[in-house]
Amino acid sequence: MKLLFAKGPSLNTRLLVALLVSISMLVIDYRSERLDRVRSVLSVITYPLQALASLPVDFYQTVSGTIISFVELQKENKRLKEVQFINDTKLLKFAALEKENTRLRMLLENSFQLGEQVLVAELVSVKLAPYEHTVVVNKGSRFGVHPEQPVLDANGIVGQVVRALPYSSEVMLITDPDHAIPVQVNRNGLRTIAFGTGQPNRLHLPFLANNADIVPGDLLVTSGLGGVFPAGYPVAVVDKFEARPDKSFANIYATPKAELDKSHEFLIVWSHSTPVVLGEPGKAPVMPESKEAENVAP
């Protein structure tokens, strides 16, 4: 039976013994490899304690890193969406510019084929009055434009100038009910007059007999009669021929070659006999010697 008030070694003695044991182990470990196995066993025993002790720190670092990464990803995603939106907008503009460039190339090629002096004009506005097919372009008398000048696009006749202001002009389309244009069938030279119907992309040829040599698919070109439209410009393609035995004339309709509801650029044409210096209306310089000199770039 142990004594109730028995005393063991004092704290100082215990501390001294621990220091001596520690120093001895350090010396042994430094001079030999006898304690390597002991160290390995102790490391295996103490590893769970080390992992448990470092768990809060590791958890905090993992969570904070995840939150920071999530916030940075959100910012990066927002920035990339803004960049994508800007790039998509630029691509839309580039696509529009590409189409405009294609249209201008077609107009330029057409101007060299015409042989007359020409001026490129852009669409400004469209008159919205019912049954009036009139548009406004951005070239006027300041550029030598005058009434009755023919206007066309890359595909064919669009109409003619009806009013020329200093900086703009009004163009009546060939589909206007008040417009008429002398035409001829390109296949056989049959002449007639095509009238506007007031309907988009629709012309009427009311003065051809039931036995006239004209069929759907025939190309109508300007005949040159009347002195407004030079001969040879494409006007329309016949799409309907309806004979009416009870009447003197057949019912004939045609579709204009020009893209009247789509074109944004037009060619205003001068004949060989009336050359002008663009931007100086009223002056009539000497006629150029070659056709190439007559073609004026806008």
Side-chain angles (χ1 to χ4, degrees):
M1 185 175 178
K2 293 184 178 180
L3 298 176
L4 293 176
F5 300 102
K7 292 184 178 181
S10 64
L11 292 177
N12 293 334
T13 302
R14 294 176 182 176
L15 177 60
L16 179 61
V17 172
L19 288 174
L20 292 175
V21 172
S22 300
I23 293 172
S24 300
M25 294 179 67
L26 288 173
V27 172
I28 295 172
D29 183 57
Y30 178 75
R31 293 183 175 276
S32 65
E33 299 179 355
R34 295 178 182 178
L35 298 179
D36 289 347
R37 295 184 62 184
V38 177
R39 183 184 294 106
S40 299
V41 173
L42 292 176
S43 66
V44 172
I45 295 173
T46 58
Y47 177 78
L49 297 177
Q50 293 176 353
L52 184 63
S54 62
L55 182 62
V57 177
D58 293 340
F59 179 76
Y60 171 77
Q61 291 179 348
T62 302
V63 172
S64 61
T66 302
I67 294 174
I68 293 173
S69 299
F70 179 74
V71 173
E72 290 179 350
L73 285 175
Q74 281 188 322
K75 292 180 179 179
E76 182 70 11
N77 187 44
K78 183 180 179 180
R79 186 185 67 83
L80 290 176
K81 284 184 177 180
E82 292 175 353
V83 171
Q84 182 182 7
F85 178 74
I86 295 173
N87 290 335
D88 290 343
T89 305
K90 289 181 178 179
L91 286 176
L92 291 176
K93 183 65 176 178
F94 290 154
L97 289 175
E98 183 180 7
K99 292 180 180 178
E100 181 180 0
N101 183 51
T102 302
R103 293 195 302 267
L104 290 175
R105 281 179 175 271
M106 293 175 65
L107 283 175
L108 183 61
E109 292 174 359
N110 201 15
S111 69
F112 281 106
Q113 294 173 0
L114 296 178
E116 280 82 22
Q117 183 179 0
V118 297
L119 174 68
V120 175
E122 295 182 1
L123 180 69
V124 175
S125 63
V126 178
K127 292 292 185 69
L128 300 179
Y131 303 108
E132 289 187 14
H133 294 194
T134 306
V135 299
V136 178
V137 297
N138 66 345
K139 295 296 188 297
S141 58
R142 182 179 177 84
F143 295 87
V145 178
H146 58 81
E148 296 188 355
Q149 277 189 272
V151 179
L152 63 153
D153 66 5
N155 299 294
I157 292 290
V158 170
Q160 66 183 55
V161 177
V162 292
R163 182 179 291 109
L165 302 175
Y167 294 98
S168 63
S169 298
E170 293 185 11
V171 178
M172 178 185 290
L173 303 182
I174 58 176
T175 52
D176 189 281
D178 294 330
H179 192 275
I181 179 173
V183 297
Q184 66 181 20
V185 178
N186 191 53
R187 175 172 55 86
N188 55 22
L190 178 65
R191 290 190 297 271
T192 185
I193 299 176
F195 291 86
T197 61
Q199 301 176 10
N201 298 322
R202 193 78 163 171
L203 297 179
H204 186 212
L205 286 70
F207 301 134
L208 287 177
N210 291 314
N211 60 350
D213 185 12
I214 184 171
V215 295
D218 277 342
L219 174 64
L220 303 177
V221 298
T222 53
S223 64
L225 299 179
V228 176
F229 296 94
Y233 290 104
V235 177
V237 176
V238 177
D239 57 17
K240 179 180 179 181
F241 179 89
E242 180 182 356
R244 297 185 294 180
D246 56 332
K247 296 185 179 180
S248 301
F249 301 106
N251 194 21
I252 304 173
Y253 290 94
T255 301
K257 288 284 291 181
E259 296 181 345
L260 302 179
D261 56 347
K262 297 179 181 178
S263 296
H264 292 273
E265 295 85 19
F266 305 98
L267 286 178
I268 301 176
V269 182
W270 285 264
S271 65
H272 291 303
S273 59
T274 57
V276 296
V277 176
L278 301 183
E280 299 184 21
K283 292 187 178 182
V286 179
M287 189 70 173
E289 296 181 358
S290 64
K291 289 186 178 180
E292 288 76 6
E294 295 171 7
N295 290 309
V296 179

